[in-house]
């Protein structure tokens, strides 16, 4: 045990922030264990755990995933070779875990950003969780742009909340899309697309260099149904037309091609082809019900960076061509 000098007297009346900083320094730099830090600061071990959590959340300590190491993993190498990816971060473990995948993306994807980037943000629970778990980091002159219109939703992970939260964590400027994701008629959507504010938004999206997105499933209880974008009958119709999943509110087939159907003329948002050819397209997804759509997004060239978990990665490899 390391020696300490009268810790109670030394820390009495001390600001909590000082304890947080000292705990973080001792743990991450000096490599003390939590019990030693607790004795040093005259607090409980549980308090030290809380201090370390605060240090991460407040950005005093930044934990990063080394993509070079993780890209050497067997499944990562197989995915990169199969789909021509620049990187594939595969979260180790035997279970599907959207939470772990979102956390990994939160640590990884900011490293792909550069000053002056225009970053497109999709929507969904995975993207929302990712934003919640991101650590504060300032990316100079970053612009974060909402790629899909808003929707009345029972969820907290609306389009605007996803883009706003990412911008807040990265100290960037957010440009939200002030339009519904799906209108009541093609005529109403056409009128709205002609509005100067909406035209300016899509002109900004034309300058987008990087994007981060998930893919959605097509069940009757899927997000695209519960958010009000499509009815179960419309989803079934898209399935009959070859759709296997949802990307940015649009339906795609096994090759990632946009399947146009009954709701497309009413939609306000980018189409999947806009994601092709970006400097970085980052797909964050997990689950067997998303495998086909993930495969399509990678085959079509929308995603050249992937964050997923081990069971999903294995299922992608087993899916074959």
């Amino acid at each position: 045990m390391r020696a300490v000098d009268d810790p109670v007297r030394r820390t009495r009346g001390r600001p909590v922030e000082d304890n947080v900083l000292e705990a973080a320094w001792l743990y991450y730099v000096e490599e003390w264990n939590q019990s030693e830090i607790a004795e040093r600061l005259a607090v409980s071990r549980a308090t030290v755990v809380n201090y370390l959590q605060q240090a991460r959340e407040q950005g005093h300590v930044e934990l990063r995933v080394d993509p070079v190491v993780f890209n050497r993993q067997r499944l990562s190498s197989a995915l990169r070779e199969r789909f021509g990816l620049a990187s594939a971060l595969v979260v180790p473990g035997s279970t599907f875990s959207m939470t772990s995948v979102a956390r990994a993306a939160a640590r990884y994807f900011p490293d792909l950003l550069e000053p002056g980037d225009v970053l497109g943000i999709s929507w969904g629970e995975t993207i929302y969780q990712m934003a919640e778990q991101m650590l504060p980091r300032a990316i100079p002159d970053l612009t974060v742009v909402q790629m899909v219109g808003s929707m009345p939703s029972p969820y907290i992970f609306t389009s605007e909340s996803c883009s706003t939260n990412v911008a807040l964590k990265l100290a960037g400027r957010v440009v939200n899309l002030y339009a519904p994701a799906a209108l009541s008629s093609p005529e109403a959507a056409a009128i709205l697309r002609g509005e100067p504010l909406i035209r300016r938004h899509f002109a900004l999206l034309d300058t987008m260099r990087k994007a981060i997105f998930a893919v959605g499933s097509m069940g009757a209880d899927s997000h695209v149904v519960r958010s009000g974008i499509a009815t179960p009958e419309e989803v079934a119709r898209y399935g009959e037309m070859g759709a296997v999943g949802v990307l940015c509110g649009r339906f795609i087939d096994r090759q990632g091609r946009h399947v146009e159907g009954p709701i497309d003329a009413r939609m306000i948002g980018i189409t999947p082809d806009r994601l092709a050819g970006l400097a970085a397209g980052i797909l964050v997804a997990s689950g067997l019900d998303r495998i086909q759509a993930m495969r399509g997004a990678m085959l079509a060239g929308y995603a050249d960076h992937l964050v997923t978990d081990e069971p999903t990665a294995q299922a992608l490899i087993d899916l074959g061509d």
Side-chain angles (χ1 to χ4, degrees):
M1 186 66 65
R2 302 177 195 271
V4 293
D5 296 324
D6 199 358
V8 175
R9 185 178 66 181
R10 188 175 68 84
T11 59
R12 184 183 294 119
R14 190 185 198 197
V16 171
E17 179 70 6
D18 287 359
N19 281 355
V20 170
L21 292 173
E22 184 169 358
W25 180 267
L26 293 173
Y27 188 76
Y28 292 107
V29 179
E30 302 290 343
E31 298 185 347
W32 287 33
N33 65 41
Q34 294 175 1
S35 296
E36 291 172 331
I37 298 170
E39 183 176 351
R40 162 101 169 196
L41 299 180
V43 297
S44 69
R45 188 173 178 276
T47 299
V48 172
V49 172
N50 289 334
Y51 286 163
L52 297 176
Q53 177 69 19
Q54 288 180 52
R56 293 192 296 270
E57 291 177 349
Q58 294 168 7
H60 303 323
V61 173
E62 186 171 349
L63 305 180
R64 299 191 184 186
V65 173
D66 185 350
V68 175
V69 174
F70 279 85
N71 273 323
R72 292 199 294 263
Q73 193 238 34
R74 175 184 62 86
L75 287 172
S76 174
S77 297
L79 288 168
R80 287 186 292 112
E81 182 177 350
R82 172 74 61 84
F83 298 105
L85 303 175
S87 71
L89 174 56
V90 179
V91 177
S94 60
T95 59
F96 296 96
S97 178
M98 179 184 64
T99 300
S100 294
V101 169
R103 183 181 299 116
R107 301 295 188 269
Y108 169 56
F109 102 87
D111 289 339
L112 299 175
L113 301 179
E114 300 171 303
D117 270 342
V118 176
L119 172 69
I121 297 291
S122 183
W123 71 288
E125 186 174 6
T126 307
I127 301 301
Y128 181 84
Q129 284 200 23
M130 179 204 71
E132 286 289 291
Q133 297 185 69
M134 288 171 60
L135 301 175
R137 185 195 303 189
I139 307 293
D141 196 27
L142 176 71
T143 300
V144 178
V145 189
Q146 182 179 334
M147 297 193 294
V148 182
S150 303
M151 67 284 293
S153 173
Y155 308 115
I156 59 173
F157 47 86
T158 57
S159 294
E160 58 271 27
S161 66
C162 291
S163 52
T164 299
N165 287 350
V166 170
L168 286 172
K169 291 296 180 69
L170 299 177
R173 177 176 73 105
V174 64
V175 182
N176 284 328
L177 178 52
Y178 297 108
L183 279 82
S184 59
S185 69
E187 293 77 17
I191 291 172
L192 189 52
R193 289 191 202 100
E195 286 293 316
L197 179 65
I198 304 303
R199 290 206 310 270
R200 286 196 297 271
H201 190 95
F202 279 91
L204 179 59
L205 281 170
D206 284 341
T207 71
M208 176 176 66
R209 298 187 64 251
K210 297 170 184 175
I212 186 160
F213 48 88
V215 292
S217 60
M218 291 183 55
D221 198 41
S222 61
H223 297 335
V224 73
V225 172
R226 296 197 63 191
S227 66
I229 291 178
T231 66
E233 294 75 22
E234 288 170 331
V235 171
R237 174 61 180 144
Y238 275 99
E240 292 169 358
M241 298 167 64
V244 297
V246 181
L247 175 58
C248 293
R250 310 281 182 161
F251 291 85
I252 59 173
D253 67 11
R254 283 174 52 87
Q255 302 300 315
R257 294 170 298 209
H258 179 198
V259 178
E260 296 192 55
I263 69 169
D264 280 276
R266 299 190 285 109
M267 289 285 295
I268 303 291
I270 68 164
T271 53
D273 57 280
R274 180 63 190 86
L275 298 172
L278 295 176
I282 307 142
L283 171 59
V284 184
S286 164
L288 286 177
D289 57 349
R290 291 165 170 78
I291 294 294
Q292 295 279 7
M294 292 174 68
R295 175 185 180 275
M298 291 185 287
L299 288 177
Y302 307 145
D304 59 354
H305 296 268
L306 172 66
V307 183
T308 192
D309 52 36
E310 192 169 321
T312 307
Q314 187 63 61
L316 282 165
I317 297 300
D318 295 342
L319 188 62
D321 299 324

